Coordinates of all heavy atoms in Angstrom, one line a residue:
V1 N -5.2 -1.2 0.3 CA -4.8 -2.5 1.0 C -5.7 -2.6 2.3 O -6.0 -3.7 2.7 CB -3.3 -2.4 1.3 CG1 -3.0 -3.5 2.3 CG2 -2.5 -2.6 0.0
L2 N -6.0 -1.5 2.9 CA -6.8 -1.5 4.1 C -8.3 -1.9 3.9 O -9.0 -2.2 4.9 CB -6.7 -0.2 4.8 CG -5.3 0.3 5.2 CD1 -5.4 1.7 5.8 CD2 -4.7 -0.7 6.2
N3 N -8.7 -2.0 2.7 CA -10.0 -2.5 2.3 C -11.2 -1.7 2.9 O -12.3 -2.2 3.1 CB -10.1 -3.9 2.8 CG -11.2 -4.7 2.0 OD1 -11.4 -4.5 0.8 ND2 -11.8 -5.7 2.6
G4 N -10.9 -0.4 3.2 CA -12.0 0.4 3.6 C -12.4 0.2 5.1 O -13.4 0.8 5.5
N5 N -11.7 -0.6 5.8 CA -12.1 -0.9 7.2 C -11.6 0.2 8.1 O -10.4 0.6 8.0 CB -11.5 -2.2 7.6 CG -12.0 -3.4 6.9 OD1 -13.2 -3.4 6.4 ND2 -11.2 -4.4 6.6
A6 N -12.5 0.8 8.9 CA -12.2 1.8 9.8 C -11.4 1.2 11.0 O -11.8 0.2 11.6 CB -13.4 2.6 10.3
A7 N -10.3 1.8 11.4 CA -9.5 1.4 12.5 C -10.2 1.9 13.8 O -11.0 2.8 13.8 CB -8.1 1.9 12.5
T8 N -9.9 1.2 14.9 CA -10.4 1.7 16.2 C -9.4 2.6 16.8 O -8.2 2.3 17.0 CB -10.6 0.5 17.2 OG1 -11.5 -0.5 16.6 CG2 -11.2 0.9 18.5
G9 N -9.9 3.9 17.1 CA -9.0 4.9 17.6 C -8.7 4.7 19.1 O -9.0 3.7 19.7
L10 N -8.0 5.7 19.7 CA -7.4 5.5 21.0 C -8.5 5.8 22.1 O -8.2 5.8 23.3 CB -6.2 6.4 21.2 CG -4.9 5.8 20.9 CD1 -4.8 5.5 19.4 CD2 -3.7 6.6 21.3
N11 N -9.7 6.1 21.7 CA -10.8 6.2 22.6 C -12.0 5.4 22.2 O -13.2 5.7 22.3 CB -11.2 7.7 22.8 CG -10.5 8.3 23.9 OD1 -10.1 7.7 24.9 ND2 -10.2 9.6 23.8
D12 N -11.7 4.2 21.5 CA -12.7 3.3 21.0 C -13.6 3.8 19.9 O -14.6 3.1 19.6 CB -13.6 2.8 22.2 CG -12.8 1.9 23.2 OD1 -11.8 1.2 22.7 OD2 -13.1 1.9 24.4
E13 N -13.2 4.9 19.3 CA -14.0 5.5 18.3 C -13.5 5.1 16.9 O -12.3 4.8 16.8 CB -14.1 7.0 18.4 CG -12.9 7.7 17.9 CD -11.6 7.6 18.7 OE1 -11.7 7.0 19.8 OE2 -10.6 8.1 18.3
P14 N -14.3 5.0 15.9 CA -13.8 4.7 14.5 C -12.8 5.7 14.1 O -13.0 6.9 14.3 CB -15.0 4.6 13.6 CG -16.1 4.4 14.6 CD -15.8 5.1 15.8
D15 N -11.7 5.3 13.4 CA -10.8 6.3 12.9 C -10.5 5.9 11.4 O -10.0 4.9 11.1 CB -9.4 6.2 13.6 CG -8.5 7.3 13.3 OD1 -8.0 7.3 12.1 OD2 -8.2 8.2 14.1
T16 N -11.0 6.8 10.5 CA -10.9 6.6 9.1 C -9.8 7.5 8.5 O -9.3 8.4 9.2 CB -12.2 6.9 8.4 OG1 -12.4 8.3 8.4 CG2 -13.4 6.2 9.1
L17 N -9.5 7.2 7.2 CA -8.5 8.0 6.5 C -9.3 9.0 5.5 O -8.7 9.3 4.5 CB -7.6 7.1 5.7 CG -6.6 6.3 6.6 CD1 -5.8 5.4 5.8 CD2 -5.7 7.3 7.4
A18 N -10.5 9.4 5.9 CA -11.2 10.3 5.1 C -10.4 11.6 4.9 O -9.9 12.2 5.9 CB -12.6 10.6 5.7
G19 N -10.3 12.1 3.7 CA -9.6 13.3 3.4 C -8.1 13.2 3.3 O -7.4 14.1 3.0
Y20 N -7.6 12.0 3.6 CA -6.1 11.7 3.5 C -5.7 11.8 2.0 O -6.2 11.1 1.2 CB -5.9 10.3 4.0 CG -4.5 9.8 4.1 CD1 -3.5 10.6 4.5 CD2 -4.2 8.4 3.9 CE1 -2.2 10.1 4.6 CE2 -2.9 7.9 4.0 CZ -1.9 8.8 4.4 OH -0.7 8.3 4.5
R21 N -4.7 12.6 1.8 CA -4.3 12.8 0.4 C -2.8 13.3 0.4 O -2.2 13.7 1.4 CB -5.2 13.9 -0.3 CG -5.1 15.3 0.3 CD -6.2 16.2 -0.1 NE -6.0 17.6 0.3 CZ -6.3 18.0 1.5 NH1 -6.8 17.2 2.4 NH2 -6.1 19.3 1.8
S22 N -2.3 13.4 -0.8 CA -0.9 13.9 -1.0 C -0.9 15.0 -2.1 O -1.6 14.8 -3.2 CB 0.0 12.8 -1.4 OG 1.3 13.3 -1.8
P23 N -0.2 16.0 -2.0 CA -0.1 17.0 -3.0 C 0.9 16.6 -4.1 O 1.0 17.3 -5.1 CB 0.3 18.3 -2.3 CG 1.2 17.8 -1.2 CD 0.5 16.5 -0.8
M24 N 1.6 15.5 -3.9 CA 2.7 15.1 -4.9 C 2.2 14.0 -5.8 O 1.4 13.2 -5.4 CB 3.9 14.7 -4.1 CG 4.5 15.8 -3.2 SD 5.9 15.2 -2.2 CE 5.1 14.0 -1.1
H25 N 2.7 14.0 -7.0 CA 2.3 13.0 -7.9 C 3.5 12.3 -8.5 O 4.6 13.0 -8.6 CB 1.4 13.5 -9.0 CG 0.0 13.9 -8.5 ND1 -1.0 13.0 -8.4 CD2 -0.5 15.1 -8.0 CE1 -2.1 13.6 -7.9 NE2 -1.8 14.8 -7.7
G26 N 3.4 11.1 -9.0 CA 4.5 10.4 -9.5 C 4.1 9.1 -10.2 O 2.9 9.0 -10.6
R27 N 5.0 8.1 -10.3 CA 4.6 6.9 -10.9 C 3.7 6.0 -10.1 O 3.8 6.0 -8.9 CB 5.9 6.1 -11.2 CG 6.9 6.9 -12.1 CD 8.2 6.0 -12.3 NE 9.2 6.8 -13.0 CZ 10.4 6.3 -13.2 NH1 10.8 5.2 -12.8 NH2 11.3 7.1 -13.9
R28 N 2.9 5.3 -10.8 CA 2.0 4.3 -10.1 C 2.9 3.1 -9.6 O 3.9 2.7 -10.2 CB 0.9 3.8 -11.0 CG -0.1 4.8 -11.4 CD -1.2 4.2 -12.2 NE -2.2 5.2 -12.6 CZ -3.3 4.9 -13.2 NH1 -3.5 3.6 -13.6 NH2 -4.2 5.8 -13.5
P29 N 2.5 2.5 -8.4 CA 3.2 1.4 -7.9 C 3.1 0.2 -9.0 O 2.2 0.1 -9.7 CB 2.4 1.0 -6.7 CG 1.7 2.2 -6.2 CD 1.4 3.0 -7.5
V30 N 4.2 -0.5 -9.0 CA 4.3 -1.7 -9.9 C 4.0 -3.0 -9.1 O 4.7 -3.2 -8.1 CB 5.7 -1.8 -10.5 CG1 5.9 -3.0 -11.4 CG2 6.0 -0.5 -11.4
V31 N 3.1 -3.8 -9.6 CA 2.8 -5.0 -8.9 C 3.0 -6.1 -10.0 O 2.5 -6.2 -11.0 CB 1.3 -5.1 -8.5 CG1 1.0 -6.5 -7.8 CG2 1.0 -4.0 -7.5
R32 N 4.0 -7.0 -9.6 CA 4.4 -8.0 -10.6 C 4.4 -9.4 -10.0 O 4.8 -9.6 -8.8 CB 5.8 -7.7 -11.1 CG 6.0 -6.4 -11.8 CD 7.4 -6.1 -12.2 NE 8.0 -7.1 -13.1 CZ 9.3 -7.2 -13.4 NH1 10.1 -6.3 -12.8 NH2 9.7 -8.1 -14.2
G33 N 4.0 -10.4 -10.8 CA 4.1 -11.8 -10.4 C 5.2 -12.6 -11.1 O 5.5 -12.2 -12.3
F34 N 5.8 -13.6 -10.5 CA 6.9 -14.3 -11.1 C 6.6 -15.8 -10.9 O 6.0 -16.3 -9.9 CB 8.2 -13.9 -10.4 CG 8.5 -12.5 -10.5 CD1 8.1 -11.6 -9.5 CD2 9.1 -12.0 -11.7 CE1 8.3 -10.2 -9.6 CE2 9.3 -10.6 -11.8 CZ 8.9 -9.7 -10.8
P35 N 7.1 -16.6 -11.8 CA 6.8 -18.1 -11.8 C 7.5 -18.8 -10.6 O 7.1 -19.9 -10.3 CB 7.3 -18.6 -13.1 CG 8.4 -17.6 -13.6 CD 7.9 -16.3 -13.0
S36 N 8.6 -18.2 -10.1 CA 9.3 -18.9 -9.0 C 10.0 -17.9 -8.1 O 10.1 -16.7 -8.4 CB 10.4 -19.8 -9.6 OG 11.4 -19.0 -10.2
R37 N 10.4 -18.4 -6.9 CA 11.1 -17.5 -6.0 C 12.4 -17.0 -6.6 O 12.8 -15.8 -6.5 CB 11.4 -18.2 -4.7 CG 12.0 -17.4 -3.6 CD 11.0 -16.3 -3.1 NE 9.8 -17.0 -2.6 CZ 8.6 -16.4 -2.5 NH1 8.4 -15.2 -2.9 NH2 7.6 -17.1 -1.9
A38 N 13.1 -17.9 -7.3 CA 14.4 -17.5 -8.0 C 14.1 -16.3 -9.0 O 14.9 -15.4 -9.0 CB 15.0 -18.7 -8.6
A39 N 13.1 -16.5 -9.8 CA 12.8 -15.4 -10.7 C 12.4 -14.1 -10.0 O 12.8 -13.0 -10.5 CB 11.6 -15.9 -11.6
E40 N 11.7 -14.2 -8.9 CA 11.4 -13.0 -8.2 C 12.6 -12.3 -7.6 O 12.8 -11.1 -7.7 CB 10.5 -13.4 -7.0 CG 10.0 -12.2 -6.2 CD 9.1 -12.6 -5.0 OE1 8.7 -13.8 -4.9 OE2 8.9 -11.7 -4.2
L41 N 13.6 -13.1 -7.1 CA 14.8 -12.5 -6.6 C 15.7 -11.9 -7.8 O 16.3 -10.9 -7.6 CB 15.6 -13.5 -5.9 CG 15.0 -14.0 -4.6 CD1 15.8 -15.2 -4.0 CD2 14.9 -12.9 -3.6
D42 N 15.7 -12.6 -8.9 CA 16.4 -12.0 -10.1 C 15.8 -10.6 -10.5 O 16.5 -9.7 -10.8 CB 16.3 -13.0 -11.3 CG 17.2 -14.2 -11.1 OD1 18.1 -14.2 -10.2 OD2 17.0 -15.2 -11.8
A43 N 14.4 -10.6 -10.5 CA 13.8 -9.3 -10.8 C 14.0 -8.3 -9.8 O 14.2 -7.1 -10.1 CB 12.3 -9.6 -10.9
L44 N 14.2 -8.7 -8.5 CA 14.5 -7.7 -7.5 C 15.9 -7.1 -7.7 O 16.0 -5.9 -7.6 CB 14.5 -8.4 -6.1 CG 15.0 -7.6 -4.9 CD1 14.0 -6.4 -4.7 CD2 15.1 -8.4 -3.7
V45 N 16.8 -7.9 -8.1 CA 18.2 -7.4 -8.4 C 18.1 -6.4 -9.5 O 18.7 -5.3 -9.5 CB 19.1 -8.6 -8.7 CG1 20.5 -8.1 -9.2 CG2 19.4 -9.4 -7.5

């Protein structure tokens, strides 16, 4: 989501997430589209 853009650190230096990782694994995030707001809320329920 961050699109590879380096943030500006607290001393004006670039701050990247290089090496950022997790030792845990699980399900992939689910991204879903719905035809209307009502359908989206039904799916949320």
Side-chain angles (χ1 to χ4, degrees):
V1 167
L2 298 175
N3 203 32
N5 297 326
T8 302
L10 271 65
N11 271 325
D12 289 332
E13 78 289 356
D15 189 291
T16 71
L17 290 174
Y20 183 39
R21 65 193 189 281
S22 170
M24 302 177 292
H25 289 275
R27 299 177 186 176
R28 292 185 178 183
V30 174
V31 180
R32 298 175 62 190
F34 302 92
S36 66
R37 187 68 60 203
E40 181 181 352
L41 292 173
D42 288 343
L44 173 65
V45 171

